Amino acid sequence: MSRAEELLRRVESYSDQMVEALARLTAVPALGPSNGGQGEMAKAELILPWLRDMGLEVQRADAPDPRVACGARPNLLASLAGGPGPAVWVLAHLDVVPVGDPALWSSDPWTLKVEGGRLVGRGTEDNHHGLVSALFGLKAVKELGLPLPGPAGLALVSDEETGSQYGLDHLLKARPGLFTSRDIIVVPDAGRPDGGLIEVAEKSIYWLRVEVTGKQVHGSTPHKGVNALYAAARMMVEARAVAQEFGQDNPLFRPPRSTCEPTAKEKGVDNINTIPGRDVFCLDCRVLPGIPLDEVRAEIERRFGAIAAEEGAGVAISEVQRLQAPPATPSEAPVVKALERAIARVHGLEPHAGGIGGGTVAAFFRQRGLPVAVWSSCQGTAHMPNEWTSLEAMVKDAQVFALLYAGL
Ligand SMILES: [Zn+2]
């Protein structure tokens, strides 16, 4: 039997232990204080003995936070020493989101329910699936005593769901040399059920609120007023033309272009026979990386300003959210290549490196020039009632991480 086969079999033999670990993790809710919880310390204390029993070296980079009773948010670094090669890091998060409406759950969210191969409970997919698969991948490598080309690490951070200030952002500031640009860094926190998507890029997120002012008059005399809704409607149509302006195709993304869509809308006039003098709508723009959001803003101001002038209306645009996307991880980066090899072996498919439209915690790495890939085989049930993950996928992902750690 080859080393790789031996490793894959060893991981498979942990299947029951993985379910047991998942059950224990699910039973410890870890909600950040802004989600009404006491943070992640109880969960960290559950996991610490597991890490030590596995023979891992554990370091901490806890972030002080007076809002929680214990005064800190844990960030754990567990690692195995290896050769002089690049380190392999998997980063998972300890915190989970609230259950939402409990009536929508068919079982207790904090008690793992095993339904055949489905493992149901809050946090099962987001992010215990990634945590457990990396942990047991590391366990297999350690127990088989395989020679590691470089250090093998597992980073478990707090506060991913509420901004990462006390989690990855803190860790990167507290330990500036910990991750290097030659490392292989994987964040198992998004993906497709078959494991076929390696996320290497994300679009900028730009949310705008547009307030149009006109002059309110009787519905029978539009010529005496300025219809703010009409001007706003023209601007909404124009928004898509703005997206076209920044429309160079990037095949990493679906759709492969920037988008700029009208979304939320404030309530206007109540009655049909009044021409509205004020209208407010919002735009959700997802902009390809490399395009400065200031340029998008300037183009929107120019086009909407022209419409307002034609209609005799006023327009005021304000920013609700601005997240300029960091540069993409190159599709040829070692982390992508290593994942492609391991995924092909375990999942029997050729994954594709692509981008997504929204922000992930990986942005904190990319902003520092650290090549990171976001990958897991997940169902897409995060934050939903009856969140679940697949046992088969969790075991397969553990196999992928074991291969990655062992450099096979
Ligand atoms: Zn997550």
Side-chain angles (χ1 to χ4, degrees):
M1 201 175 3
S2 74
R3 260 185 193 168
E5 276 164 47
E6 204 183 346
L7 192 54
L8 300 185
R9 284 198 194 179
R10 178 61 67 112
V11 171
E12 211 164 356
S13 76
Y14 297 146
S15 172
D16 290 347
Q17 292 179 55
M18 290 171 80
V19 176
E20 170 66 21
L22 190 64
R24 295 181 65 190
L25 291 167
T26 306
V28 184
L31 298 168
S34 50
N35 273 331
Q38 280 299 318
E40 304 82 356
M41 198 60 83
K43 189 168 287 180
E45 275 159 12
L46 169 72
I47 298 169
L48 276 165
W50 302 352
L51 302 174
R52 296 210 173 95
D53 288 351
M54 277 172 54
L56 303 173
E57 192 202 321
V58 179
Q59 297 179 64
R60 300 183 66 154
D62 294 4
D65 185 351
R67 297 172 302 165
V68 292
C70 66
R73 312 285 294 278
N75 294 299
L76 311 180
L77 299 157
S79 59
L80 281 176
V88 177
W89 283 102
V90 180
L91 179 126
H93 63 86
L94 297 163
D95 55 324
V96 300
V97 292
V99 298
D101 181 358
L104 298 175
W105 286 77
S106 57
S107 59
D108 173 22
W110 307 115
T111 305
L112 186 73
K113 183 166 85 168
V114 182
E115 269 181 339
R118 272 187 194 215
L119 308 168
V120 188
R122 175 53 86 226
T124 48
E125 169 171 300
D126 184 15
N127 188 219
H128 298 146
H129 172 114
L131 191 166
V132 170
S133 45
L135 184 69
F136 282 84
L138 204 49
K139 182 180 168 82
V141 164
K142 167 75 179 167
E143 285 189 358
L144 290 174
L146 297 183
L148 301 181
L154 172 61
L156 301 176
V157 295
S158 288
D159 197 30
E160 193 274 344
E161 300 291 359
T162 43
S164 292
Q165 188 192 342
Y166 301 89
L168 182 55
D169 193 30
H170 173 83
L171 176 62
L172 289 165
K173 286 171 182 157
R175 300 289 175 97
L178 180 68
F179 302 100
T180 74
S181 59
R182 68 196 279 261
D183 292 348
I184 286 174
I185 307 169
V186 182
V187 176
D189 202 16
R192 281 206 319 238
D194 66 359
L197 173 67
I198 303 172
E199 189 260 280
V200 292
E202 52 196 62
K203 290 178 180 174
S204 299
I205 302 176
Y206 198 30
W207 292 351
L208 296 170
R209 181 179 181 276
V210 183
E211 181 168 0
V212 183
T213 44
K215 186 178 174 215
Q216 180 177 318
V217 291
H218 194 278
S220 65
T221 57
H223 61 288
K224 290 186 179 169
V226 174
N227 190 331
L229 177 60
Y230 185 83
R234 283 190 60 191
M235 291 173 197
M236 288 184 216
V237 172
E238 191 71 5
R240 285 194 173 173
V242 174
Q244 294 270 320
E245 188 84 9
F246 300 97
Q248 58 270 57
D249 277 6
N250 182 332
L252 284 180
F253 294 95
R254 280 179 209 151
R257 314 170 286 282
S258 302
T259 57
C260 191
E261 290 289 306
T263 53
K265 172 105 179 47
E266 282 183 19
K267 196 172 165 301
V269 291
D270 285 316
N271 52 317
I272 291 183
N273 58 346
T274 294
I275 301 280
R278 179 175 175 275
D279 192 79
V280 178
F281 67 96
C282 296
L283 294 173
D284 182 346
C285 307
R286 306 292 168 131
V287 181
L288 291 173
I291 297 173
L293 293 179
D294 284 339
E295 282 180 20
V296 178
R297 169 84 186 239
E299 186 61 18
I300 289 174
E301 299 253 5
R302 188 181 73 73
R303 288 175 181 248
F304 287 14
I307 292 170
E310 280 173 32
E311 297 294 330
V315 61
I317 300 170
S318 53
E319 290 180 0
V320 180
Q321 172 153 240
R322 166 196 277 260
L323 283 174
Q324 179 85 51
T329 298
S331 300
E332 299 304 312
V335 61
V336 178
K337 293 288 142 199
L339 269 174
E340 280 173 353
R341 270 197 311 278
I343 294 165
R345 173 155 205 151
V346 172
H347 289 265
L349 56 84
E350 266 185 43
H352 102 103
I356 60 168
T360 71
V361 73
F364 289 95
F365 286 118
R366 293 197 182 113
Q367 279 152 5
R368 289 168 169 81
L370 298 167
V372 59
V374 178
W375 173 83
S376 79
S377 314
C378 64
Q379 306 297 325
T381 62
H383 299 211
M384 288 164 58
N386 303 309
E387 176 181 355
W388 66 279
T389 198
S390 146
L391 173 58
E392 189 194 346
M394 195 164 69
V395 174
K396 282 189 168 177
D397 287 8
Q399 291 175 320
V400 168
F401 291 133
L403 292 172
L404 234 54
Y405 283 132
L408 293 170

